[in-house]
Amino acid sequence: MATFKEFRNNVKPNWCPGCGDFSVQAAIQRAAANVGLEPEQLAVISGIGCSGRISGYINAYGLHGIHGRALPIAQGVKLANRDLTVIASGGDGDGFAIGMGHTIHAIRRNINITYIVMDNQIYGLTKGQTSPRSAEGFKTKSTPEGSIESALSPLELALSSGATFVAQSFSSDLKQLTALIEEGIKHEGFSLINVFSPCVTFNKVNTYDWFKENITNLDTVEGYDSSNRIQAMTKLMETGGLLTGLIYQNKERKSYEDLVPGFRQEPLAAQNPEITAEEFDKL
Ligand code: SF4
């Protein structure tokens, strides 16, 4: 069985020292090992942004895609390679701005992949512009007078779109983050894990200390029922989305793969290896 070290490769990440994305990378590697995967059983598909580099830093199949398109690629990879564990990843700009349409529809489709968003509330790669997750009033070079748009609430949106697994963590909490990624991988359906992953270079507001002061950790909330969607929505609204842990899981709803007729059967060519191209066309 592979250890987490076997999910490392010899590419040195060029993230800034202290960037939250280092912990996300470590958590994916640990979670993959903990659930018993071998590197050749995992694919990590990423979008564009600092976080998008992650697919190159993990010893597994990987594809650094195009902006906002990690999810269409990841879904295609999963449908064509049913036995692979597929993780899609990217930043809040990638997944909640240009890629938002894909995010919502992947949630609705409930394909069995895990989507990890490194949410730093800013565009880091392009040197610090306001993102859809930046708070109202947030000042950057693109909004020097403060953002006049409200911040998107992706987890509330996910819940209202029929999500079956919604979790959130903080890159400082490697133990919780690793455990949530393990649960996401094991979940039969689409799992969304949003990670507060501070950009230490450009976001001087949403820092490690700021998150530590403002986050409510569900692991410490007595009586919270993660199978209750109304409770999940209420808790998110009460905390302004600053909530970590397993927020919601629906184990009853079937995945896309379970619902597509014949999908679980062997492909036709495998069922009948002797079939000719002409016979196949007539089917
Ligand atoms: Fe991380 Fe920000 Fe540096 Fe990008 S610019 S690597 S998000 S700290």
Side-chain angles (χ1 to χ4, degrees), residues 14-16 18-21 50 53 120 124-125 197-202:
N14 64 352
W15 291 316
C16 309
C19 176
D21 296 355
C50 295
R53 298 178 187 136
N120 54 21
L125 186 71
S197 181
C199 171
V200 292
T201 302
F202 294 109

Side-chain angles (χ1 to χ4, degrees), residues 1-40:
M1 210 166 74
T3 66
F4 72 90
K5 290 186 181 163
E6 286 165 73
F7 287 90
R8 290 180 183 161
N9 61 21
N10 55 10
V11 183
K12 196 166 175 285
N14 64 352
W15 291 316
C16 309
C19 176
D21 296 355
F22 283 101
S23 299
V24 180
Q25 179 193 344
I28 292 174
Q29 290 163 327
R30 282 162 196 262
N34 292 351
V35 298
L37 291 174
E38 300 293 333
E40 65 271 18

Side-chain angles (χ1 to χ4, degrees), residues 19-84:
C19 176
D21 296 355
F22 283 101
S23 299
V24 180
Q25 179 193 344
I28 292 174
Q29 290 163 327
R30 282 162 196 262
N34 292 351
V35 298
L37 291 174
E38 300 293 333
E40 65 271 18
Q41 295 174 311
L42 174 67
V44 180
I45 314 297
S46 59
I48 295 294
C50 295
S51 53
R53 298 178 187 136
I54 200 164
S55 55
Y57 300 155
I58 293 176
N59 182 32
Y61 292 113
L63 196 146
H64 191 173
I66 51 176
H67 203 200
R69 312 292 177 237
L71 281 173
I73 299 166
Q75 290 172 87
V77 168
K78 181 65 182 176
L79 292 179
N81 301 273
R82 300 170 191 186
D83 296 331
L84 270 183

